Amino acid sequence: MKPIFKALTLAAALAASTALPALAQDKTIVMGIEGEPLALDPHTQALWLTARVVSNMYEGLVMQDLTKPGTKAPDVVPALAESWTISDDGLTYTFKLRGGVTFHDGEPWNAAAAVFNFDRIMNREAPQFYEKAFQQNTWWRQDVASYRAVDDMTFEIVLNTTNAEFLLRMGQGGIGSTWMASPKALAAVPNDDFATTPVGTGPFKFVERVFGEKIELAANKDYWNPARTPQYDRLIYRPMVDVSSREQALETGAIDIAATPTPDNTDYLESQGFKIVTGQLPTVYVIWLNLREEAMKDARVRKAISMALDREGLAEDLRLGQAIPAYGILNVGGPGYDEGYTCNGYDPEGARALLAEAGYADGLEIKMIWTPGGAGDVNMVADAEWFQRNLAEVGITASIEVMDIGSFFTMMNQGMQPGSSLLEISWGENTFNWLDAVLATSALPPNGYNSGYYENPVVDDLLVKARTSATKEEMVGNLHEIRDIICEEATFIPTHSPLGVVATSAAIGNFVLAPQHWPDMAIVTKD
Amino acid sequence: MTKYILMRSFQVLPVLLGVTFLVFLSLYLLPGDVTLNLLGLAANEDSIARLRAELGLDRPFSVQFGIWLGRALQGDLGVSHVMRTPVTAVVLEKTGNSLILMGAGLAITVVGAALLGPLSAVRKDRATDHTVKTLTFLLASMPAYWLGLVLIVAFSITLPWLPASGMYDFITPGGLPDLTAHLFLPALTTAATSLAIVTRVTRAAMVEALARSHVTAARSRGVRGFRLLYGHGVRAILPTFVNICGLQIGYLFGSSIFTEVIFSWPGIGQQLYTSIIARDGPMVQGCVLAVALVFVLGNLLADILIRWLDVHRD
């Protein structure tokens, strides 16, 4: 209905029913989020904001247990597969599918549905093949040799290489996913339109999306897992770009949950009776150095920059405890993350000495490229100013050039220009996806985000080895080797890992921020 | 009169064409496009080229603009690159929401200024006049993003009287009364500057009108009070009043972007902001076209009304 007429119709409806009986109160949770999610298609999803919504409606063969906060990777637990076996060579995965599960449209979940979804993503011959899905899922698709329905409830995937993380990938989302959609619903609309009519098996069903206003979901009371069957009726996401309007809407009761309040306001909100929930995000902010710049070719200068940065101070004083320092390139909640790892830590004296040794006793001028960020982080430019002060103390004069996020990614994809010394952005989930897109020679501009022109054949080999490791231990060993090489060279400088922060009303319970980009909304309660 | 309307309407076309051309050009020249946002880590030379071709971004500027213009003339503003949904439907809906806000703002402006302006003029240099002048000075000096927050703190949080965000309450939606309640604070915020401007201009015009000889003549004939004010003064300042109000239509619509972001009002300003950040070309084009259209039509309407008043004055 055109809203110009909406008001009129409402007026008419109101006049016709002035004595309307109060509607039966259903329990609704409204969450104010930082922006508008993109297309709600599980196979082409992009942006964590999108995953937050999509993850309520869809699920994969396995999923992560998001009920515990911390820095450890969440456990992989059964979802649409009840159990699985992995062949001794580590190449064949046989999934025993969960019986009695239906999609939101009543269609049965079975091996044929799994094949239909995989065909949509990677079988060019299939009528439902979707080019965008093919592109968005390279990160797991590249390891898959074949897949088939063994019988009605058994699905088999054969890999062309071992991969210790493959199981996790069958539950992972955010950038494409193998989350399962109803074959009937998929076949009913053109691929591009499926995002407007999502049908999955998850604990919430799609109701309605009004762009710029809301995305409304309803609890799936027939969900297969009683422990995750929502104890409320409706879940509404409201895109609210402005952080203060999210906080005010929470205060006035228009929303129950506000994503990412400003760090300065969390004390105030708590004093007003609101709850502040924090949890480590699975990301790490890392500085890319432009290795084509003369000064940055010198490892002493790179180390000096790392040693100039007061990461503890940034985490405690600037980010008010809503971040922890980071020294290694492996992200929180990912394979091989080690909370106690340090490398080239804060040492202004040492930094000055290294700079003098490298011939920059009289100072050095650099340019830092920064972005205020997309949704989800409140004040990234303040980080740049913090580092600028740190660098000034060791004799490095840094100027800051700020770009909006769109221009920033374009610049990263094209590589840093001459005159630009470094940039910072976060990476994290999925660890391998990122490392391949950032460290590898194959990711040099314009083929990825190796924007500082890093080339090391040893690291290239290790990346492949780590990704295709047969065991978890072997994989972690390879990742640690990469981490230590990068630390020794100081070619990338990790700085900090941010905390996710959410403010909720007192009535909201069991809201947990596990180290993943989306919370489990099915377990949340409202009094 | 008909000839005048036709001529003025015709002049609207080059303005709209110019606006759309400029916006298209600036989007074209901006570094970065939507493909990286959409592809994320999947972006490589091959996937970027494929997606650019699919979205038609690989074609020369003139071809892209030509295709867009051809479709736009048939009412089809294309499909959003980000949302995968027809732009026309979204723009119509958001424009409607913004028009509700603008309409309320305009009503506050017109009614407020029609009362305060003449009142201030009649009481020139007296306490009432000074109060009105101070009030308008304050209103004109308070930017929307400040006034909006202050109003929210005062009337939504300290005194929990009015809602502060959105058009409807999602937990217990309540139709027109709900909408009116949600409309109050953003409309006031939007109207503040316009109210100040129109009141000031009206006051000045009225002061001048009251000093004219025909008013003096009327006064000497014994016409007093409201009859004098509205019978003689108002008729004289009506074209000025309509003209300045007409200009406010565009201003109110354009400036609603701040109000909409602060109050999470799902209007065209908010949509434009989101679309620019996402580099969603067709959506930005559609939103700007809508804003330009309302701006130009608002002025056109005011011009026609003034002309009509002029013709029918005597």
Side-chain angles (χ1 to χ4, degrees), chain B residues 36-52:
Chain B
L36 286 171
N37 280 352
L38 293 179
L39 287 168
L41 281 183
N44 56 44
E45 213 168 1
D46 180 50
S47 64
I48 292 173
R50 273 171 193 270
L51 187 56
R52 284 180 63 85

Side-chain angles (χ1 to χ4, degrees), chain A residues 2-4 6-7 10-11 14 25 28 30 36-39 46 124 131-132 135-136 175 192-193 196 209-214 234 236 238 240-242 244-245 248-249 251-254 256 268 404-407 409-410 413 433-434 437 446-449 526, chain B residues 31-33 36-48 50-51 54 82-85 90 92-94 96-97 99-100 149 152-153 156-157 162 164-168 170-177 179 261-264 266 270-271 273-274 277 279:
Chain A
K2 296 207 178 101
I4 313 172
K6 216 191 256 174
L10 279 170
L14 193 83
Q25 280 289 319
T28 303
V30 186
E36 183 81 48
L38 301 181
R124 285 190 181 276
E131 178 70 38
K132 283 191 202 81
Q135 298 289 349
Q136 200 78 323
I175 309 157
D192 270 348
D193 293 350
T196 59
R209 175 175 196 174
V210 185
F211 287 105
E213 217 167 319
K214 64 167 179 177
R234 290 188 300 160
I236 299 177
R238 271 183 74 171
M240 305 175 89
V241 188
D242 185 48
S244 51
S245 56
Q248 279 147 0
E251 285 195 72
T252 57
D256 303 286
Y268 166 75
D404 74 278
I405 192 88
S407 315
F409 279 133
T410 305
N413 187 247
N433 202 7
W434 266 107
N447 273 316
Y449 296 95
K526 184 179 182 181
Chain B
D33 62 40
L36 286 171
N37 280 352
L38 293 179
L39 287 168
L41 281 183
N44 56 44
E45 213 168 1
D46 180 50
S47 64
I48 292 173
R50 273 171 193 270
L51 187 56
E54 194 195 311
V82 175
M83 314 292 183
R84 302 271 157 212
T85 186
V90 175
L92 275 178
E93 160 149 20
K94 302 299 170 200
N97 292 347
L99 282 173
I100 293 176
L149 292 179
I152 291 174
V153 170
S156 294
I157 296 174
L162 290 164
S165 61
M167 284 178 75
Y168 298 99
F170 286 147
I171 298 170
T172 46
L176 193 61
L179 175 64
V261 169
I262 294 165
F263 289 92
S264 299
Q270 174 121 282
Q271 187 62 47
Y273 177 80
T274 323
I277 296 291
R279 290 282 198 281

